[in-house]
Amino acid sequence: MNIVTIATYSTNTRWFIPAMATMMMALISSSYGYNEAAPYLFIAGIAAFFSVAVFITIKAVFFYSEFLHDIHSPEKTNYLFSVVGVIGLAGVFCSKLWSNHTVSWIFWYVSLVLWVIITLLSFSFLFLSRKSEDRKLEEVLHGGWFFICIGTQATALMSIIAAKQATSHLFLIHLISFGLWSIGAFLYLLFMTLIVLRLIFYSFPNNSELSPYWMHAGAAALTALTGVALFQHISATGGPFLDLLPFLKGFSLFFWSVGLWWLPLLSIMALKKQAYDDDRFVFTVGYWEIALSLALYAAGTKQLTGIFAGQYIVVFSHFLHIAVLLVYGYALVSTITHLAFSSVWTPVNDLTISCVVPYRFTLRGKIFYVTGIVSEWMDKNIQGKVKKQYYAIVNNNLSCLISYDLFSKKWYIRLADAAIDTKGQPPIQPPVHNP
């Protein structure tokens, strides 16, 4: 029960990203000729999706307040669209590889309904909720907002697949597909403007999480991929949308180029972070965001060769495929290692459940166990950072100050014992709370 409880509390909607990345690997594996591996990757992606969905459901029941906090947080609610993305990509896979049109139609209906519900709920909250005066733009705005674009474009792509199987109402399906593609493109341009504003005019500390910003390239690539798919289908079927073909072709290349512009910049930012961040090898779900972004760009580049035939694009597409395999493999191994050695497997107590603090931590070769919490409070004046503070008691009756940085999502420990100078270093043992 301890394992289930802690894992449930630690799970959030961001964990749907590994399922989406695995689903994309299944799609691009079939595109590059690895048809034998595609079904196994698809099954793994579905298994990951339902596993996270089960934990999220249990969390909504047993940790109701924490679940609502995640849903209502402006910086977290955008990850709900990853659910729509997984379902849309699953429907595309069923149609392309298994030609199961009935199942793909079901996926299309489900993705449409979910997209409408999540869009109305999330944007209604963002528009109508009371805004905190202490909230800063750089704390809320990050690359994860592009999952709204990704969920929208995945639904548009699934609509195009449905149009290929439709025998009637083709104009309506084209209208839905083009409308969703336009909304996703509009949101991408809007969020991109805000992100560039954030990166240029606000500080970007070395300990800031960089992986969500890789979705700049991924969302642009999926927008290009969907535009190309819509262009090809309208070209084949004709109809009143024929006049929009030059527009679709030009904007598809536009978004692909924007994504390509971001790739070297993101690589430079990643190298800088690796050079200056002390926690560069700590596991994060962000590894999957990088894998998903590169997989989307590889798929978009492959799709682009259908209307822009050229040896340079084909060669670049193969290099991207190799990069995707390497990053996906690293993310998979890192995740398995993290789960195998996570503190979720260690014995826990009620303190860990209620306060969500590390059950134990290691400093200077010594292991300390948290035995009690004296008090807790929020502190917004610690070196300009917002921290949740716990005044705790550890074994041998030592007092301890445990801080959780709400911005960098890291734990910091300071013991009152003068013989042990921790200098605010983060604990070596991974905390129970997995942001």
Side-chain angles (χ1 to χ4, degrees):
M1 180 59 67
N2 286 335
I3 294 175
V4 174
T5 306
I6 295 295
T8 300
Y9 194 101
S10 302
T11 305
N12 53 52
T13 51
R14 196 179 177 192
W15 276 95
F16 284 113
I17 300 174
M20 191 187 301
T22 304
M23 204 71 67
M24 275 306 305
M25 287 299 297
L27 285 171
I28 65 174
S29 294
S30 62
S31 299
Y32 285 92
Y34 303 108
N35 295 321
E36 296 80 7
Y40 296 103
L41 288 168
F42 174 78
I43 294 173
I46 290 293
F49 172 77
F50 280 108
S51 299
V52 176
V54 168
F55 281 117
I56 291 291
T57 304
I58 297 175
K59 181 175 182 177
V61 175
F62 291 100
F63 300 103
Y64 183 71
S65 60
E66 287 77 10
F67 175 77
L68 285 182
H69 179 267
D70 289 345
I71 299 301
H72 291 168
S73 297
E75 68 272 23
K76 295 181 180 179
T77 187
N78 43 74
Y79 287 107
L80 279 174
F81 285 87
S82 60
V83 180
V84 184
V86 173
I87 294 174
L89 294 177
V92 173
F93 183 92
C94 290
S95 178
K96 284 192 171 183
L97 271 77
W98 291 338
S99 299
N100 195 327
H101 303 322
T102 302
V103 174
S104 62
W105 272 86
I106 293 174
F107 274 115
W108 180 51
Y109 289 137
V110 173
S111 63
L112 270 178
V113 172
L114 278 178
W115 181 84
V116 171
I117 293 174
I118 294 176
T119 298
L120 292 178
L121 287 177
S122 59
F123 278 95
S124 295
F125 167 75
L126 291 172
F127 292 162
L128 303 177
S129 64
R130 178 179 295 180
K131 310 302 188 294
S132 174
E133 296 180 359
D134 297 332
R135 209 62 185 271
K136 298 179 180 179
L137 177 67
E138 61 269 27
E139 297 176 2
V140 178
L141 195 61
H142 55 77
W145 284 80
F146 286 100
F147 275 98
I148 300 177
C149 307
I150 289 175
T152 304
Q153 296 296 0
T155 308
L157 183 61
M158 189 62 243
S159 301
I160 300 169
I161 299 299
K164 293 180 179 179
Q165 306 160 7
T167 57
S168 60
H169 306 293
L170 187 61
F171 172 77
L172 177 61
I173 300 177
H174 277 170
L175 185 63
I176 294 174
S177 303
F178 185 82
L180 288 170
W181 179 82
S182 301
I183 293 172
F186 161 74
L187 291 174
Y188 181 89
L189 295 175
L190 175 64
F191 294 151
M192 181 54 62
T193 303
L194 296 174
I195 288 291
V196 171
L197 176 70
R198 185 256 181 273
L199 291 176
I200 293 177
F201 296 103
Y202 294 88
S203 62
F204 194 81
N206 293 325
N207 60 357
S208 299
E209 192 168 15
L210 178 63
S211 56
Y213 292 89
W214 281 83
M215 301 319 300
H216 299 176
L222 185 56
T223 304
L225 188 156
T226 306
V228 172
L230 187 58
F231 172 89
Q232 292 174 329
H233 188 256
I234 293 176
S235 299
T237 58
F241 286 93
L242 279 173
D243 294 336
L244 296 175
L245 289 182
F247 172 80
L248 283 171
K249 186 175 183 179
F251 262 77
S252 297
L253 183 60
F254 165 79
F255 282 105
W256 181 85
S257 303
V258 170
L260 181 61
W261 181 78
W262 271 110
L263 285 179
L265 293 175
L266 291 167
S267 300
I268 293 173
M269 295 172 69
L271 291 175
K272 179 180 180 294
K273 180 177 176 61
Q274 291 296 313
Y276 292 99
D277 190 3
D278 294 333
D279 297 328
R280 51 186 173 271
F281 296 115
V282 175
F283 171 80
T284 170
V285 189
Y287 294 153
W288 291 101
E289 289 175 314
I290 301 174
L292 173 61
S293 179
L294 291 177
L296 288 171
Y297 202 85
T301 305
K302 184 72 174 179
Q303 185 80 3
L304 202 69
T305 59
I307 58 174
F308 293 101
Q311 186 64 27
Y312 297 108
I313 299 180
V314 173
V315 172
F316 182 60
S317 174
H318 285 289
F319 277 113
L320 280 173
H321 183 232
I322 295 173
V324 169
L325 291 176
L326 294 175
V327 176
Y328 180 85
Y330 180 77
L332 181 62
V333 172
S334 299
T335 303
I336 294 174
T337 304
H338 169 73
L339 295 177
F341 295 97
S342 174
S343 56
V344 75
W345 301 103
T346 62
V348 295
N349 53 20
D350 293 336
L351 173 67
T352 309
I353 301 296
S354 58
C355 296
V356 199
V357 298
Y359 171 67
R360 70 177 184 182
F361 56 91
T362 304
L363 288 174
R364 300 290 180 87
K366 297 182 180 181
I367 299 178
F368 298 90
Y369 294 88
V370 179
T371 59
I373 296 292
V374 177
S375 61
E376 59 180 85
W377 68 96
M378 291 292 296
D379 197 329
K380 300 181 180 180
N381 299 311
I382 303 179
Q383 299 177 354
K385 298 179 180 179
V386 180
K387 289 187 178 182
K388 182 70 176 291
Q389 302 276 53
Y390 298 94
Y391 184 70
I393 302 298
V394 296
N395 51 314
N396 299 327
N397 291 323
L398 292 174
S399 59
C400 174
L401 182 64
I402 303 177
S403 304
Y404 179 64
D405 190 333
L406 298 178
F407 181 65
S408 64
K409 307 294 188 300
K410 296 179 182 178
W411 291 94
Y412 295 86
I413 307 294
R414 183 179 293 275
L415 297 179
D417 185 1
I420 302 179
D421 182 16
T422 64
K423 297 182 180 179
Q425 294 298 318
I428 298 176
Q429 180 70 23
V432 170
H433 177 65
N434 186 16

